[in-house]
Amino acid sequence: MWQRLPADLEPPSWQLRRDFLLAEVRPGDRALDIGCGAGDFTAAMADAGAHAIGVEVAQAAVERARARHPGLEFRLVPIEGPLPLEDSSFDLVWASEVIEHVDDTARWLSEVRRVLAPGGRLLVTTPSHGRLRVALGGVERFSEPLGDHLHLYTRNSLRSLLAEFGFGEIRVRAVEGPPLLRRMLLARAAR
């Protein structure tokens, strides 16, 4: 996919997601951008004073991130298996438009929790799939048989999932679009 995308493509809902992220970044934070893509959110964290690195499963995305943001660290990580990062090594983990693509959500969230320091914050954005939205659009619209969205989340399902994996102080809100038809979930949780 990354080879086909234009080099100057702005991430969808860039300003909204950036504002959500930067409201949580503190100068000096050790920050991890999981699924960093072209590295723009990693760069935003670094610009806000965090010591940020980005990780990605796609080699083409890592190459693009390194080219766009040569002063930052970007690593290629395996699509399955543990993250090659130390336990409790990050104060903030950012995973924007990633969780819906993850095959083994239990393993992934366990790894996220492992690398997050006690008291650290997890920020997640993902498409919202409330009942009315799915009823009006049909499940096929949001989960094509050969598509890359493997999981659909509602505010309640995302909140429950994060709680099940030991996260606390969980806040999930739906944004973008009219009430009952919001398109995106913004979640914040603490380890």
Side-chain angles (χ1 to χ4, degrees):
M1 172 186 91
W2 282 98
Q3 288 101 345
R4 296 188 313 265
L5 292 175
D8 60 348
L9 184 68
E10 182 175 283
S13 304
W14 163 251
Q15 193 62 49
L16 175 81
R17 292 193 289 157
R18 183 179 177 277
D19 290 347
F20 174 58
L21 169 63
L22 294 182
E24 285 290 332
V25 175
R26 300 173 189 150
D29 270 348
R30 299 164 298 158
L32 175 64
D33 183 355
I34 296 180
C36 66
D40 296 333
F41 289 109
T42 312
M45 289 189 289
D47 290 345
H51 305 288
I53 70 165
V55 297
E56 178 62 67
V57 299
Q59 179 68 43
V62 170
E63 291 170 6
R64 183 175 291 195
R66 287 174 179 161
R68 284 173 70 116
H69 308 285
L72 298 178
E73 180 180 355
F74 297 98
R75 298 182 191 175
L76 184 66
V77 296
I79 196 165
E80 293 188 28
L83 290 168
L85 302 163
E86 297 295 320
D87 293 356
S88 302
S89 53
F90 295 96
D91 304 302
L92 177 67
V93 172
W94 167 253
S96 187
E97 307 303 299
V98 173
I99 195 170
E100 68 274 11
H101 301 279
V102 174
D103 179 37
D104 188 342
T105 308
R107 181 185 329 175
W108 185 80
L109 271 176
S110 295
E111 280 298 291
V112 168
R113 195 171 192 302
R114 179 185 66 77
V115 302
L116 196 58
R121 291 113 44 224
L122 169 63
L123 301 177
V124 172
T125 75
T126 190
S128 176
H129 294 96
R131 288 182 190 165
L132 183 58
R133 195 149 187 248
V134 172
L136 292 175
V139 73
E140 294 84 8
R141 178 176 176 199
F142 304 110
S143 184
E144 298 173 23
L146 297 177
D148 60 350
H149 284 204
L150 303 176
H151 305 283
L152 305 180
Y153 293 97
T154 66
R155 281 191 322 189
N156 288 337
S157 68
L158 185 55
R159 183 181 297 112
S160 295
L161 177 68
L162 294 172
E164 185 173 330
F165 280 85
F167 290 95
E169 302 174 33
I170 300 167
R171 293 191 313 257
V172 181
R173 63 186 171 106
V175 297
E176 283 199 324
L180 302 177
L181 293 173
R182 304 278 193 223
R183 292 185 292 275
M184 182 184 296
L185 297 175
L186 306 178
R188 182 207 186 273
R191 175 170 178 226

